[in-house]
Amino acid sequence: MNKRENIEQLSINFDLYTGKSSDLHSIKRMLSDMERLYYDNKAFRKEVESNDIIVYEYYILEIPATPENLLYGTTILYPGKVGNEYFMNKGHFHQILNTSEVYYCLRGEGYLLMEDPEGEVLIAKINPGTSVYVPPRFAHRCINVSKNEPLISFYSCRADAGHDYKTIEIKGFRKLIIEERGKPKIINNPNWE
Amino acid sequence: MNKRENIEQLSINFDLYTGKSSDLHSIKRMLSDMERLYYDNKAFRKEVESNDIIVYEYYILEIPATPENLLYGTTILYPGKVGNEYFMNKGHFHQILNTSEVYYCLRGEGYLLMEDPEGEVLIAKINPGTSVYVPPRFAHRCINVSKNEPLISFYSCRADAGHDYKTIEIKGFRKLIIEERGKPKIINNPNWE
């Protein structure tokens, strides 16, 4: 069989239960990397100082950033809260705004929160087996509402899409998902600029 | 929560174990749809006449065929053989040849067979949790080598990629995967044109 070296690069394992790859290193985001993203900054400071844990990790492949290639991998978002706001990832627009993304949930329970620059908001509930389409132009963020299980998804997008984290770091999302009486509730972000 | 109608379109369930969607109809391919694709035409004729069963099914979403959108869904390839050649799907090039595809295997055991127009061949073994990258310009076909389990994968590609089935229907793939002494073996396709 020819091209063994290529075959190994083309095949990458992402465990269906843990989301982890034995072939790659993940990018890890600690709570302290999430400065300004949770609405309750007092609760955030307290958490970071007492227990700066990992909030999520994800895999990014080294694939040339061209429109004919695709990026893909898993994201693993751990359960937890900052005050009454559920753990989430930073979320981002694509640098090439007019590109899309697909999520396919492997495990856990949560939401995919999306909004476009004009303020249209889309919110999709995700469970194992749910695919969610992030339409072109929509920023996207995962929120884990489970008490004890990670939220694990496989994702794919165009390799040249790029990440614009800055807009969200500055403005935030228009909506937040908090826990109220033990259940997820969608509220307006009081800090949205 | 706004945009309920959009949210439902954006979220589609594909069962992680069966690969099936309760939200969509699948496209089904019977053995009789596979004319000329198995190398042993005598065995093929006999099978079709005695037992024209379903070989595979897959989902295609209605998404505008533009470079900013993505297609995605599951493919379910059933176990079986025609003579000593394992069940496979037709396989295709993309009409926009210079586009790629990602497969993420949810269940089963098989191979992803790829070749480009110049004759470079890539063969990746797939098991649950294996992602395989089909590079731009490579035709691709799944082969199920399990005796009793379907081979189920989630796939994603650019929505404008398009399907060129004709080239494979006429020429075939350069390689085939057959069973020899109970094990998969890769051979040259004797009918390749």
Side-chain angles (χ1 to χ4, degrees):
Chain A
M1 205 188 297
N2 294 320
K3 299 273 170 192
R4 251 267 164 263
E5 67 288 8
N6 273 345
I7 291 163
E8 282 175 25
Q9 288 170 3
L10 295 176
S11 298
I12 294 166
N13 189 272
F14 296 100
D15 187 277
L16 281 161
Y17 187 71
T18 66
K20 298 206 182 181
S21 176
S22 52
D23 304 319
L24 302 170
H25 289 285
S26 67
I27 298 167
K28 291 173 179 64
R29 296 285 176 233
M30 308 300 288
L31 202 50
S32 52
D33 295 321
M34 305 288 285
E35 191 79 45
R36 289 172 49 94
L37 290 166
Y38 290 94
Y39 85 97
D40 183 345
N41 197 49
K42 208 168 137 186
F44 174 77
R45 290 255 60 84
K46 203 177 143 193
E47 280 295 327
V48 166
E49 278 156 33
S50 70
N51 191 22
D52 186 19
I53 60 173
I54 183 171
V55 178
Y56 65 102
E57 55 188 302
Y58 60 102
Y59 295 91
I60 294 269
L61 296 172
E62 282 179 37
I63 290 179
T66 66
E68 62 264 25
N69 284 306
L70 294 167
L71 275 192
Y72 58 98
T74 48
T75 67
I76 304 163
L77 173 56
Y78 293 98
K81 280 182 292 177
V82 171
N84 62 359
E85 190 176 5
Y86 293 106
F87 271 16
M88 59 193 185
N89 56 16
K90 288 188 175 186
H92 59 265
F93 285 95
H94 288 162
Q95 278 179 314
I96 300 181
L97 184 64
N98 198 27
T99 54
S100 57
E101 189 154 337
V102 175
Y103 280 80
Y104 183 57
C105 179
L106 305 174
R107 186 176 160 205
E109 187 191 355
Y111 290 86
L112 199 62
L113 178 59
M114 298 165 266
E115 67 173 53
D116 72 3
E118 292 75 31
E120 182 172 358
V121 172
L122 300 169
I123 301 172
K125 180 102 184 67
I126 46 182
N127 288 298
T130 308
S131 66
V132 179
Y133 193 54
V134 180
R137 307 183 76 259
F138 278 77
H140 38 285
R141 162 183 285 174
C142 294
I143 293 116
N144 183 348
V145 301
S146 166
K147 293 211 187 325
N148 40 44
E149 239 188 342
L151 179 64
I152 301 174
S153 299
F154 184 82
Y155 75 89
S156 172
C157 67
R158 243 170 59 185
D160 63 336
H163 297 88
D164 162 19
Y165 286 106
K166 202 127 239 172
T167 306
I168 297 299
E169 280 170 355
I170 294 168
K171 301 181 75 166
F173 276 77
R174 286 167 170 85
K175 301 283 180 183
L176 300 177
I177 304 190
I178 61 163
E179 188 179 77
E180 194 177 86
R181 294 188 204 97
K183 282 188 183 168
K185 189 185 175 185
I186 298 153
I187 61 164
N188 290 322
N189 180 358
N191 302 331
W192 186 78
E193 293 165 15
Chain B
M1 201 189 297
N2 295 320
K3 298 274 170 192
R4 251 264 164 264
E5 66 290 6
N6 273 345
I7 291 162
E8 284 175 25
Q9 289 170 3
L10 295 175
S11 298
I12 294 167
N13 188 272
F14 295 100
D15 187 277
L16 281 160
Y17 187 71
T18 66
K20 299 206 181 180
S21 176
S22 51
D23 304 319
L24 302 170
H25 289 285
S26 67
I27 297 167
K28 292 173 179 66
R29 295 284 176 234
M30 307 300 288
L31 201 50
S32 52
D33 295 320
M34 304 289 284
E35 192 80 45
R36 288 173 51 94
L37 290 166
Y38 290 94
Y39 85 95
D40 184 344
N41 198 47
K42 209 168 137 186
F44 174 77
R45 290 254 59 85
K46 203 177 143 194
E47 280 296 326
V48 167
E49 280 157 31
S50 70
N51 192 21
D52 185 20
I53 60 173
I54 182 170
V55 178
Y56 65 103
E57 54 188 303
Y58 60 103
Y59 295 91
I60 294 269
L61 295 171
E62 281 179 38
I63 290 177
T66 66
E68 61 265 24
N69 283 307
L70 294 166
L71 275 193
Y72 57 98
T74 48
T75 66
I76 305 162
L77 172 57
Y78 293 98
K81 280 182 291 178
V82 171
N84 62 0
E85 189 176 6
Y86 294 106
F87 270 16
M88 59 191 184
N89 56 16
K90 288 189 175 187
H92 58 266
F93 285 96
H94 288 162
Q95 277 179 315
I96 299 180
L97 184 64
N98 198 26
T99 54
S100 58
E101 189 153 335
V102 176
Y103 279 81
Y104 183 56
C105 179
L106 305 175
R107 185 175 161 206
E109 186 190 357
Y111 289 86
L112 198 63
L113 178 59
M114 299 164 266
E115 68 172 54
D116 72 3
E118 292 75 31
E120 183 173 356
V121 172
L122 301 168
I123 302 173
K125 181 102 184 67
I126 45 181
N127 288 297
T130 307
S131 67
V132 179
Y133 193 54
V134 180
R137 307 185 74 258
F138 278 78
H140 39 287
R141 162 184 285 174
C142 294
I143 294 117
N144 183 348
V145 303
S146 166
K147 292 210 188 325
N148 40 43
E149 239 188 342
L151 179 65
I152 301 175
S153 299
F154 184 81
Y155 75 90
S156 171
C157 67
R158 243 171 58 186
D160 62 336
H163 298 88
D164 162 20
Y165 285 106
K166 202 128 239 173
T167 306
I168 297 300
E169 281 170 354
I170 293 168
K171 300 181 76 165
F173 276 77
R174 286 166 170 86
K175 300 282 180 184
L176 300 177
I177 304 190
I178 61 163
E179 188 179 77
E180 193 176 87
R181 293 187 205 97
K183 282 187 182 168
K185 189 185 175 184
I186 296 153
I187 62 165
N188 290 322
N189 180 358
N191 302 332
W192 186 78
E193 292 165 16

